């Protein structure tokens, strides 16, 4: 559904007005509300002790925290919000300003044990301060009302204190991402049964995933990416963590097979297992995860073929299976296609089969189009498709004829290089008018270069090298002023190179190994 621009603006204005109202109400500025109780003395003292633990603050936030006078910590201190009735601090939210300024803003120091005194705290955010180091103080185990704990983007070190976190019995959102935490995952965390989100990405965590996490039945978001985990993925993830919508285990050393039980996670939208050491096959039931939007299993050691069921995922917009040992044919046959597809990368595998079959299996059948009378052999790509990479496989067949509209206009990147594709370049390739990069190099494509390609006005990268192309480089190409990288190398081309930028300025190597090309940058053409 497309909203018109004015509708969108109205919507945005309404939303920001609501947010403003909400923030006023929270800060106790609403004109009709009774006057807010000033900051409780105990909380004020705890905050000042926290400030004392920060040796350097270039964000300017703590400069607003001044003692004495009318400095009500609830009203005047940046990042502090209180319960208007009790004057108790319920939220402490310290975000570094976005790094637009030339020098990165930061706070340097340690988390004070005084944070444990903020007994009514529900939200604690200390984010992107870069130089807040040390450990998570044991006193924080007293924060039994804490629902959100975000300590991301700091320099916290040591192990995750499981005993401290397990006392935060109200905790729902936990992020300690982007720190220097090491050691194993604390099994005690499995007892915090209200947890909805755990983000521990970007640390130095290792070891096993504790069995006690079975009890986290509300967990919707689990991100353990960019750590040093090397265990197997436990089967209980799929059997018990039924609320998972996002599971990111990428950039670790996870080994063993992908448990088939993961396919039972019916609410999963994002699954990333990229850059691990996973072996075996992609579970054939993967198509059961019908809610899946994004599946990334690239850079593993997977073998076997791509399960056909994968090509029934109607909501899938990102698929990356690149850099594995996948073999067999690209799933053939006309089904429903992958109508939501935006990006598909199957590069660097051992896939075989016809490229025309592949295009047919991702594209909605033409009978689903209004113009059902159109030629069945013409491919109408998925509507939003932008990126398609099949390079470095053993794919055969010929490029199909492309229809216009939809995906033909949105596709920006098409790379089928390093395969065994034959046939000719179809002149209907010019229907891919949004294409910025076209790489058909190192195949067995014959015939001439269609002059219609000159209409591909967005093209910046064109590589047709290492094929069996004959004839001339069409004179019409002189119009393609946006091209930055071009290679015609290693074909059987002949005749005059278009004498226009960039063609006459390219290195001669871009034309090497042809039959009889001439004109700048090669020697002039001679009359025979
Ligand atoms: C899960 O919770 C139950 C009770 O809620 C408890 O008896 C059990 O020991 C827990 N399991 C694990 C693995 O911690
Ligand atoms: C899955 O999502 C649906 C719809 O959002 C929700 O009603 C259901 O409770 C979820 N299931 C689990 C196990 O979380
Ligand atoms: C797919 O994964 C590979 C390898 O990890 C990566 O290089 C590539 O950029 C990814 N493709 C897309 C379209 O993101
Ligand atoms: C329908 O298909 C015919 C034949 O392929 C074509 O000439 C015509 O332009 C198409 N019409 C639409 C609305 O796409």
């Amino acid at each position: 559904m497309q909203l018109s621009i004015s509708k969108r603006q109205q919507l945005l204005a309404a939303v920001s007005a609501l947010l403003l109202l909400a923030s006023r109400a929270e800060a106790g500025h609403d004109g009709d509300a009774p006057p807010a109780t000033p900051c409780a003395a105990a909380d004020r003292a705890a905050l000042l002790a926290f400030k004392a633990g920060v040796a350097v603050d270039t964000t300017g936030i703590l400069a607003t925290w001044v003692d004495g006078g009318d400095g009500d910590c609830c009203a005047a201190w940046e990042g502090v919000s209180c319960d208007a009735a009790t004057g108790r601090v319920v939220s402490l939210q310290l975000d570094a300003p976005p790094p637009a300024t030339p020098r990165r803003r930061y706070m340097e120091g340690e988390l004070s044990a005084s944070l444990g005194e903020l007994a009514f705290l529900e939200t604690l955010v200390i984010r992107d301060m870069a130089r807040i180091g040390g450990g998570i103080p044991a006193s924080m185990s007293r924060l039994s009302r804490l629902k959100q704990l975000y300590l991301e983007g700091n320099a916290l070190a040591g192990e995750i204190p499981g005993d401290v976190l397990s006392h935060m019995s109200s905790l729902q959102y936990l992020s300690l991402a982007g720190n220097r935490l090491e050691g194993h995952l604390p099994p005690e965390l499995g007892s915090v049964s209200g947890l909805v989100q755990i983000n521990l990405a970007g640390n130095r965590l290792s070891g096993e995933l504790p069995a006690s996490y079975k009890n986290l039945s509300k967990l919707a978001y689990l991100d353990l990416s960019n750590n040093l985990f090397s265990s197997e993925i436990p089967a209980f993830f799929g059997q018990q963590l039924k609320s998972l919508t996002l599971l990111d285990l990428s950039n670790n050393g996870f080994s063993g097979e992908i448990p088939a039980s993961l396919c039972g996670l019916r609410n999963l939208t994002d699954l990333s297992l990229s850059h691990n050491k996973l072996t075996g096959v992609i579970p054939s039931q993967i198509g059961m995860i019908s809610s899946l939007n994004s599946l990334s299993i690239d850079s593993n050691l997977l073998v076997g073929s791509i399960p056909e069921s994968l090509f029934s995922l109607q909501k899938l917009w990102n698929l990356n299976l690149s850099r594995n040992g996948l073999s067999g044919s690209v799933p053939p046959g006309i089904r429903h296609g992958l109508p939501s597809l935006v990006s598909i990368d199957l590069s660097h595998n051992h896939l075989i089969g016809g490229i025309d079959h592949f295009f047919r299996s991702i594209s909605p059948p033409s009978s689903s189009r209004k113009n059902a009378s159109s030629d069945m052999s013409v491919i109408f790509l998925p509507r939003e498709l932008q990126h398609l990479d099949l390079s470095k496989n053993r794919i055969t067949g010929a490029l199909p004829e492309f229809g216009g509209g939809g995906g033909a206009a949105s596709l920006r990147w098409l790379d089928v290089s390093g395969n065994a594709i034959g046939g000719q370049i179809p002149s209907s390739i010019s229907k891919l008018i949004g294409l910025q990069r076209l790489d058909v190099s190192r195949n067995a494509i014959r015939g001439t270069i269609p002059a219609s390609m000159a209409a591909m006005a967005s093209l910046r990268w064109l590589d047709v090298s290492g094929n069996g192309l004959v004839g001339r480089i069409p004179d019409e190409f002189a119009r393609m002023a946006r091209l930055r990288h071009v290679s015609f190398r290693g074909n059987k081309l002949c005749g005059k190179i278009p004498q226009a930028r960039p063609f006459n300025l390219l290195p001669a190597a871009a034309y090497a190994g042809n039959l009889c090309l001439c004109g700048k940058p090669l020697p002039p053409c001679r009359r025979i």
Side-chain angles (χ1 to χ4, degrees):
M1 188 186 67
Q2 287 273 358
L3 287 178
S4 72
I5 288 180
S6 63
K7 274 251 177 65
R8 271 191 207 188
Q9 277 167 347
Q10 280 168 14
L11 208 61
L12 279 178
V15 168
S16 48
L18 273 177
L19 286 175
L20 194 64
L21 279 178
S23 68
R24 278 198 190 147
E26 199 179 358
H29 286 316
D30 196 299
D32 299 331
T37 311
C39 174
D43 289 354
R44 178 192 183 82
L47 290 172
L48 287 172
F50 167 78
K51 179 178 175 179
V54 178
V56 184
D57 170 24
T58 70
T59 68
I61 296 173
L62 299 183
T64 67
W65 293 18
V66 282
D67 199 6
D70 56 353
D72 178 359
C73 81
C74 295
W77 294 14
E78 199 175 328
V80 180
S81 306
C82 303
D83 181 313
T86 64
R88 301 306 303 248
V89 173
V90 292
S91 162
L92 175 58
Q93 182 155 356
L94 307 178
D95 275 290
T101 38
R103 276 185 321 125
R104 176 154 196 205
R105 306 294 181 92
Y106 62 90
M107 286 186 190
E108 186 169 325
E110 297 204 347
L111 297 178
S112 164
S114 72
L115 285 173
E117 307 296 326
L118 298 170
F120 288 81
L121 209 55
E122 291 173 12
T123 299
L124 175 57
V125 180
I126 301 175
R127 184 152 46 197
D128 293 333
M129 293 304 176
R131 302 192 194 175
I132 295 282
I136 295 169
S139 63
M140 283 176 63
S141 62
R142 276 181 254 152
L143 301 179
S144 59
R145 289 182 173 83
L146 201 62
K147 289 190 187 131
Q148 307 187 43
L149 177 61
Y150 292 99
L151 301 174
E152 311 167 324
N154 293 299
L156 298 173
E159 302 206 348
I160 298 175
D163 48 344
V164 176
L165 297 179
S166 65
H167 281 91
M168 299 177 180
S169 48
S170 308
L171 202 60
Q172 296 180 349
Y173 299 90
L174 171 66
S175 174
L176 304 174
N179 281 289
R180 296 172 191 167
L181 298 165
E182 56 193 16
H184 294 188
L185 289 177
E188 299 91 329
L189 205 55
S191 67
V192 187
S193 57
L195 274 170
V196 172
Q197 176 176 329
I198 298 178
N199 184 355
L200 302 174
N203 281 289
R204 296 166 190 168
L205 301 167
S206 58
E208 307 260 316
L209 308 184
S212 62
Y213 288 18
K214 277 180 193 173
N215 276 357
L216 299 176
S217 61
K218 298 192 176 135
L219 195 65
Y221 183 110
L222 178 60
D223 189 347
L224 301 177
S225 62
N226 293 288
N227 277 290
L228 306 170
F229 293 107
S230 56
S231 65
E232 297 197 354
I233 301 173
F236 75 76
F237 272 35
Q239 286 151 2
Q240 320 246 183
L241 306 183
K242 293 285 190 189
S243 301
L244 275 180
T245 59
L246 178 143
L247 177 60
D248 191 345
L249 304 179
S250 62
N251 294 294
N252 279 287
F254 282 108
S255 56
E257 302 198 355
I258 299 173
S261 63
L262 286 187
C263 303
L265 297 173
R266 299 302 170 79
N267 280 7
L268 200 61
T269 58
D270 291 83
L271 176 60
S272 180
L273 307 174
S274 305
H275 291 273
N276 279 295
K277 298 191 174 110
L278 297 170
T279 51
V281 301
I282 301 173
S284 60
Q285 311 91 315
I286 191 93
M288 282 164 48
I289 317 178
S290 54
S291 49
L292 211 54
N293 296 146
S294 177
L295 176 63
S296 303
I297 330 184
D298 47 278
S299 294
N300 278 289
L301 306 166
L302 300 170
V303 295
S305 55
I306 299 175
E308 247 190 276
S309 77
L310 209 160
F311 281 71
S312 65
L313 293 172
Q314 300 290 289
K315 294 183 179 163
L316 195 69
W317 64 264
N318 172 54
L319 176 63
N320 197 341
L321 306 179
S322 168
R323 292 177 196 272
N324 279 289
L326 299 172
S327 57
S329 65
V330 289
I334 301 175
R335 290 186 146 214
H336 308 293
L338 295 175
S340 308
L341 205 57
V342 173
S343 173
I344 180 165
D345 190 342
L346 308 181
S347 63
H348 296 264
N349 281 293
H350 312 304
L351 298 171
I352 58 170
I355 188 152
D356 40 341
H357 289 302
F358 166 78
F359 276 110
R360 211 150 277 134
S361 52
I362 63 165
S363 302
S366 48
S367 60
S368 75
R369 297 176 58 85
K370 283 193 187 124
N371 196 349
S373 69
S374 63
D375 186 352
M376 293 290 282
S377 69
V378 176
I379 295 293
F380 293 94
L381 294 169
R383 228 159 19 101
E384 313 280 349
L385 188 63
Q386 292 183 14
H387 190 112
L388 201 164
D389 194 342
L390 297 177
S391 62
K392 298 259 175 66
N393 279 288
R394 295 165 191 168
I395 295 169
T396 52
L399 288 169
E401 295 290 345
F402 295 101
S410 60
L411 192 64
R412 302 214 177 107
W413 180 300
L414 176 57
D415 188 347
V416 297
S417 64
N419 281 289
I421 296 168
Q424 305 199 356
I425 300 177
S427 74
S428 60
I429 201 161
S430 64
K431 299 253 174 76
L432 308 178
I433 50 170
L435 215 54
Q436 294 174 0
R437 185 178 178 119
L438 174 60
D439 194 339
V440 299
S441 66
R442 286 162 294 127
N443 278 294
I445 300 174
R446 314 200 166 266
T448 57
I449 301 175
S452 63
M453 286 175 70
M456 301 170 78
S458 307
L459 215 54
R460 286 159 189 279
W461 176 293
L462 173 62
D463 195 339
V464 298
S465 65
N467 280 292
L469 295 167
V470 298
R472 294 171 56 102
I473 299 172
D475 288 333
E476 289 85 347
F477 273 36
R479 282 193 266 141
M480 302 176 80
R482 284 224 174 158
L483 278 173
R484 292 290 170 270
H485 173 100
V486 190
S487 181
F488 296 98
R489 191 189 172 97
N491 279 290
K492 294 174 186 161
L493 297 166
C494 204
K496 191 170 184 182
I497 292 168
Q499 291 302 296
R501 285 160 183 261
F503 299 96
N504 54 353
L505 299 176
L506 292 173
Y511 302 100
N514 277 288
L515 272 189
C516 44
L517 285 173
C518 58
K520 273 185 189 164
L522 299 184
C525 301
R526 275 191 272 162
R527 289 217 181 151
I528 328 160

